[in-house]
Amino acid sequence: LVKCFLPAIAGIRKYPDGGKASRYVRGLIVGDLVSFTEPSGHFCYSAGTVSFRQRGWAVRSLGLISGGVRIASALQVVRAVLDNPVDDTAVHLLVIGDRADNIPLKSATDALALQHSDRFRVAYTVDQVQSSDNWTGFVGFVNAAMLVQSMPTPGAETAVLLIGQPDFLRDACVPYLLEIGFTRAQVLEV
């Protein structure tokens, strides 16, 4: 999955100078060497156990909230759960997008939900919908009612992962997750 943030044309885009990685790659010349490493962080999942910042606990339900192209990271977690034959953890995914026709990996996500309908639920919310979109998901900003419908029920064996722009997810999701009964320790920003 690749999403380029090119410099804005006439200042229309959110990133007027382009994205950080896009600017870096654009500055390379043929023959330059670039070293890549795999993502690494503070979150680990293993068959019903979540570890985050050296603290671990058992989970029976896992919620994920993902924005934009970060869906690729969210789907890695979803697949780790669903592909493990001894793991019966339920997974709930809320994907946040700008337009109904611009949700990365929607077909793959929907196929997983269909294949694992007993354990995997997916919901979408977008900022705008065209009349031709035939949209059945949520429209508008994340709110408490949307999270009640799309996330697992809060409980001791539940965690919610926020995967996306930290400020947006922290400001838009954390207050509502706390309002519906999750503790701050159960809401993990990865």
PDB file of all heavy atoms in Angstrom, residues 15 30 52 63 131 145 176:
ATOM      1  N   TYR A  15      -1.101  18.897   3.080  1.00  0.00           N
ATOM      2  CA  TYR A  15       0.347  18.959   3.221  1.00  0.00           C
ATOM      3  C   TYR A  15       0.903  19.812   2.086  1.00  0.00           C
ATOM      4  O   TYR A  15       1.265  19.290   1.028  1.00  0.00           O
ATOM      5  CB  TYR A  15       0.949  17.551   3.178  1.00  0.00           C
ATOM      6  CG  TYR A  15       0.388  16.649   4.255  1.00  0.00           C
ATOM      7  CD1 TYR A  15      -0.658  15.772   3.984  1.00  0.00           C
ATOM      8  CD2 TYR A  15       0.902  16.684   5.541  1.00  0.00           C
ATOM      9  CE1 TYR A  15      -1.169  14.954   4.971  1.00  0.00           C
ATOM     10  CE2 TYR A  15       0.394  15.877   6.535  1.00  0.00           C
ATOM     11  CZ  TYR A  15      -0.638  15.014   6.242  1.00  0.00           C
ATOM     12  OH  TYR A  15      -1.153  14.208   7.225  1.00  0.00           O
ATOM     13  N   VAL A  30      19.546   9.107  -8.541  1.00  0.00           N
ATOM     14  CA  VAL A  30      19.883   7.743  -8.936  1.00  0.00           C
ATOM     15  C   VAL A  30      21.247   7.393  -8.363  1.00  0.00           C
ATOM     16  O   VAL A  30      22.196   8.167  -8.483  1.00  0.00           O
ATOM     17  CB  VAL A  30      19.871   7.591 -10.480  1.00  0.00           C
ATOM     18  CG1 VAL A  30      20.367   6.212 -10.880  1.00  0.00           C
ATOM     19  CG2 VAL A  30      18.476   7.844 -11.015  1.00  0.00           C
ATOM     20  N   PHE A  52       1.797  -3.951  25.909  1.00  0.00           N
ATOM     21  CA  PHE A  52       1.991  -2.572  25.485  1.00  0.00           C
ATOM     22  C   PHE A  52       2.868  -1.870  26.512  1.00  0.00           C
ATOM     23  O   PHE A  52       2.548  -1.842  27.702  1.00  0.00           O
ATOM     24  CB  PHE A  52       0.640  -1.864  25.361  1.00  0.00           C
ATOM     25  CG  PHE A  52       0.733  -0.474  24.806  1.00  0.00           C
ATOM     26  CD1 PHE A  52       1.091  -0.256  23.490  1.00  0.00           C
ATOM     27  CD2 PHE A  52       0.464   0.622  25.602  1.00  0.00           C
ATOM     28  CE1 PHE A  52       1.185   1.022  22.962  1.00  0.00           C
ATOM     29  CE2 PHE A  52       0.546   1.905  25.088  1.00  0.00           C
ATOM     30  CZ  PHE A  52       0.913   2.107  23.769  1.00  0.00           C
ATOM     31  N   GLY A  63     -10.512  -4.058  19.979  1.00  0.00           N
ATOM     32  CA  GLY A  63     -11.018  -3.032  19.078  1.00  0.00           C
ATOM     33  C   GLY A  63      -9.860  -2.314  18.417  1.00  0.00           C
ATOM     34  O   GLY A  63      -8.814  -2.135  19.034  1.00  0.00           O
ATOM     35  N   SER A 131     -24.254  10.852  -3.634  1.00  0.00           N
ATOM     36  CA  SER A 131     -25.508  10.107  -3.784  1.00  0.00           C
ATOM     37  C   SER A 131     -25.317   8.807  -4.548  1.00  0.00           C
ATOM     38  O   SER A 131     -26.054   7.853  -4.357  1.00  0.00           O
ATOM     39  CB  SER A 131     -26.564  10.976  -4.470  1.00  0.00           C
ATOM     40  OG  SER A 131     -26.104  11.380  -5.742  1.00  0.00           O
ATOM     41  N   ALA A 145     -21.824   7.377  20.250  1.00  0.00           N
ATOM     42  CA  ALA A 145     -22.809   6.435  19.712  1.00  0.00           C
ATOM     43  C   ALA A 145     -22.178   5.531  18.655  1.00  0.00           C
ATOM     44  O   ALA A 145     -22.447   4.320  18.607  1.00  0.00           O
ATOM     45  CB  ALA A 145     -24.006   7.183  19.134  1.00  0.00           C
ATOM     46  N   TYR A 176     -14.280   9.900  23.809  1.00  0.00           N
ATOM     47  CA  TYR A 176     -15.497   9.102  23.632  1.00  0.00           C
ATOM     48  C   TYR A 176     -15.315   7.681  24.140  1.00  0.00           C
ATOM     49  O   TYR A 176     -16.247   7.097  24.686  1.00  0.00           O
ATOM     50  CB  TYR A 176     -15.942   9.103  22.171  1.00  0.00           C
ATOM     51  CG  TYR A 176     -16.358  10.474  21.693  1.00  0.00           C
ATOM     52  CD1 TYR A 176     -15.706  11.081  20.633  1.00  0.00           C
ATOM     53  CD2 TYR A 176     -17.398  11.151  22.315  1.00  0.00           C
ATOM     54  CE1 TYR A 176     -16.082  12.338  20.197  1.00  0.00           C
ATOM     55  CE2 TYR A 176     -17.784  12.409  21.875  1.00  0.00           C
ATOM     56  CZ  TYR A 176     -17.122  12.999  20.815  1.00  0.00           C
ATOM     57  OH  TYR A 176     -17.482  14.237  20.389  1.00  0.00           O
TER      58      TYR A 176
END
